[in-house]
Amino acid sequence: GMKPHKIADMGVTRTFQIMRPYYSLPAYKNLVMIEPPPASITKCDVAIVGAGPAGLGAAITCAKAGLDVVVFERLPNRRLSHHTDGGVLFSFPGLTSVNIDGNTVSFPELDISIRASFAKKCDRLGLLGPGGLGTENTFPKGLEGWAGNKDDLVEALIDEAASQGATFWFNAKVSDVLKEGERISGVRLDTGEEIQSKVVVTADGVFAKISEMAGMHISHDELWYASVLAFEYDNTEDLAGGLYYLNGDMQLGEGMPAAFGGLGITEVIHVLVAFFSRKRFYPAPQPMDVYVQGMLESDGRLKDILGSALDGKRPKMLTGCRAVMRKKSNEDPVGNGIISVGDAWVDDGEIGNVPALANGVWAGRVIVQAAERNDFSEEALGPARDFITKKLVSALSKNKDMKLLGTRFNDDEMKQLFGFMQHLNYPVMMFGSPGQQGLMYTEFMVKNVFRFFKYPKIGRALF
């Protein structure tokens, strides 16, 4: 039961660079409810900055153990997330399974079970390249995927955390951390409130500003900045669920910056485009929605999937975000009285919904054990580092490499590249078991043996 506290005019944020707007469509200005703040809070056991999957995994786990948990989220309510393209409920091997049974989605290894109205079977997941080339995108026997709406996933996780006793403070922007000597001892809001805590969990996203204020070793070895815009439509045509990454052949205009497109189909349709820049400012000569609309009208890859589902429809929502992609992940997610989780340590914001949730649960379990000893020192919280394995970092790097193809290859090279990649199965490549991946790569090598001699540069780039 969300009750009105006050009304905010939450128009989409505009960013400008030399008077060039990020988007040009009329602002989607709705009256958005701001959930009321909790009663006066001055201290807690666990202060969590950010109500995304990573922060919520920690919140659920700590609250279940009886710890006093407060989650601070700068967005106004539990119905809004930071995401621009829905989500896919995938887990990298070894983290957790995802089970869906009727109205329930559960993550058994994480001890989390929530309602599943947001989940839809993902029938296709692929990289679509130029000239009609693309990776195989169907799911082989033994591998399942689920598509989900990020807003609904976050809301369900918040409801679960609240049912376990966690307190939520929305419309709350954390501006700094509190310190007692060398230990992080709480958070400060931009409105001046100070909340003391035994431990702080920063799930503050890819720019990780609060993590850095707390002394986390954030990598500043930036490769690219991304400006992302997405249109959201109701899925009235009952299209098959899936997620598609568009590389090459973006048809966005002469002299345009490197770009990446996407199409996510859950119970809604998200169509997005991302521009990459070496600098923080928006790099294109026209507003981003011009390019999203142009892609919808002219890109045959989208037409093949969507058919006429969007003809004559205007998006019901327009969302945007910024991201940074770095050469390496942040160096260490643990400090004295603090753990960073989710996108706060990942170099390019690509950890994904379920792995981020698992990351938060892992951190939560470490905190529960630390609470039993009443020791929240860096040494006591150190096991939180063990979540970040070489295998996980390798999988995240592979995902980033696929997204950044447009920054590394010209049009001709991209066609050559997808000549190789059409023999890869993307769901297996990203989420398959070692056995499935071994069989796929063996078949890939056999089918491409002559291409490796013809296009050695491309072959080397793939491995």
Side-chain angles (χ1 to χ4, degrees):
M2 181 170 56
K3 298 179 181 179
H5 172 60
K6 61 179 179 178
I7 301 297
D9 188 354
M10 296 293 294
V12 179
T13 299
R14 296 175 184 250
T15 49
F16 295 85
Q17 190 260 330
I18 316 179
M19 299 305 291
R20 292 205 298 263
Y22 187 71
Y23 76 100
S24 64
L25 289 175
Y28 286 72
K29 291 187 177 179
N30 301 308
L31 294 178
V32 175
M33 304 301 288
I34 296 178
E35 292 198 43
S40 180
I41 295 175
T42 58
K43 64 179 180 178
C44 61
D45 293 328
V46 185
I48 299 175
V49 182
L56 295 172
I60 292 169
T61 303
C62 291
K64 273 185 179 179
L67 297 178
D68 181 12
V69 177
V70 181
V71 183
F72 302 88
E73 171 54 52
R74 65 181 176 85
L75 288 176
N77 64 56
R78 66 191 66 198
R79 284 294 301 153
L80 295 176
S81 81
H82 301 272
H83 216 256
T84 56
D85 63 347
V88 181
L89 301 182
F90 288 103
S91 179
F92 295 113
L95 291 185
T96 183
S97 51
V98 181
N99 294 339
I100 296 187
D101 183 12
N103 292 322
T104 302
V105 58
S106 59
F107 309 96
E109 292 80 2
L110 307 182
D111 193 26
I112 290 178
S113 180
I114 52 180
R115 63 177 178 80
S117 60
F118 58 82
K120 179 175 184 174
K121 190 167 183 181
C122 189
D123 294 310
R124 301 182 182 90
L125 176 73
L127 279 173
L128 305 181
L133 293 171
T135 58
E136 180 71 27
N137 61 30
T138 55
F139 289 80
K141 187 175 181 180
L143 186 63
E144 281 188 335
W146 302 91
N149 183 295
K150 179 70 174 288
D151 289 347
D152 290 347
L153 170 64
V154 166
E155 182 180 18
L157 290 170
I158 289 174
D159 289 346
E160 172 64 15
S163 74
Q164 297 295 337
T167 298
F168 284 85
W169 195 333
F170 291 96
N171 201 40
K173 184 177 180 182
V174 174
S175 60
D176 204 350
V177 293
L178 305 178
K179 294 181 180 180
E180 290 182 2
E182 297 298 315
R183 185 180 77 86
I184 303 301
S185 61
V187 297
R188 180 182 294 113
L189 304 187
D190 65 348
T191 47
E193 290 100 327
E194 293 186 352
I195 297 87
Q196 300 283 338
S197 66
K198 296 177 180 177
V199 64
V200 172
V201 177
T202 49
D204 55 334
V206 68
F207 288 100
K209 294 178 180 178
I210 303 303
S211 296
E212 188 165 24
M213 288 178 183
M216 298 291 98
H217 301 289
I218 306 303
S219 167
H220 287 287
D221 201 4
E222 286 90 1
L223 278 173
W224 297 93
Y225 292 92
S227 303
V228 188
L229 190 72
F231 289 175
E232 180 181 310
Y233 301 84
D234 285 320
N235 179 12
T236 57
E237 301 298 321
D238 197 29
L239 296 167
L243 194 71
Y244 305 84
Y245 302 112
L246 277 61
N247 265 292
D249 259 7
M250 294 299 290
Q251 302 175 354
L252 297 177
E254 191 173 345
M256 288 293 294
F260 164 85
L263 171 65
I265 302 174
T266 58
E267 79 282 7
V268 294
I269 299 170
H270 289 91
V271 183
L272 72 89
V273 65
F275 289 135
F276 298 114
S277 171
R278 292 289 191 182
K279 298 181 180 179
R280 287 176 179 261
F281 60 76
Y282 174 59
Q286 295 192 73
M288 286 195 75
D289 58 281
V290 173
Y291 302 107
V292 184
Q293 190 63 44
M295 189 172 71
L296 274 168
E297 293 170 356
S298 63
D299 199 308
R301 295 170 295 186
L302 293 178
K303 290 285 187 183
D304 289 344
I305 298 166
L306 293 173
S308 60
L310 302 187
D311 288 358
K313 290 189 173 70
R314 285 179 61 84
K316 70 173 187 177
M317 189 179 296
L318 177 125
T319 54
C321 71
R322 303 273 293 171
V324 60
M325 300 186 181
R326 305 183 175 106
K327 288 184 179 178
K328 61 180 179 179
S329 298
N330 299 338
E331 295 177 4
D332 189 352
V334 177
N336 192 357
I338 185 168
I339 303 175
S340 285
V341 294
D343 286 343
W345 67 266
V346 177
D347 63 326
D348 66 322
E350 277 303 307
I351 191 170
N353 299 330
V354 178
L357 181 66
N359 188 189
V361 169
W362 185 290
R365 289 172 177 170
V366 170
I367 290 170
V368 170
Q369 291 176 351
E372 292 173 354
R373 304 186 299 273
N374 196 29
D375 179 4
F376 299 95
S377 64
E378 182 174 349
E379 182 179 2
L381 300 177
R385 298 183 176 101
D386 298 339
F387 180 83
I388 307 175
T389 63
K390 289 183 178 179
K391 189 174 183 179
L392 176 59
V393 172
S394 175
L396 296 174
S397 297
K398 186 188 302 180
N399 204 357
K400 176 173 63 177
D401 287 344
M402 294 299 103
K403 184 172 288 186
L404 288 173
L405 288 176
T407 67
R408 298 163 59 199
F409 301 106
N410 61 35
D411 289 347
D412 289 339
E413 290 170 334
M414 193 74 81
K415 290 175 183 177
Q416 297 166 10
L417 177 72
F418 275 90
F420 284 81
M421 293 181 64
Q422 65 183 318
H423 301 298
L424 288 173
N425 181 296
Y426 197 71
V428 171
M429 180 170 63
M430 294 307 303
F431 310 107
S433 67
Q436 289 171 323
Q437 290 180 342
L439 288 173
M440 180 198 66
Y441 281 118
T442 299
E443 183 179 356
F444 169 81
M445 294 296 289
V446 170
K447 290 184 176 179
N448 282 293
V449 63
F450 294 110
R451 282 196 183 89
F452 280 103
F453 293 103
K454 190 173 181 180
Y455 305 113
K457 174 187 174 183
I458 305 297
R460 287 194 301 270
L462 281 173
F463 292 96

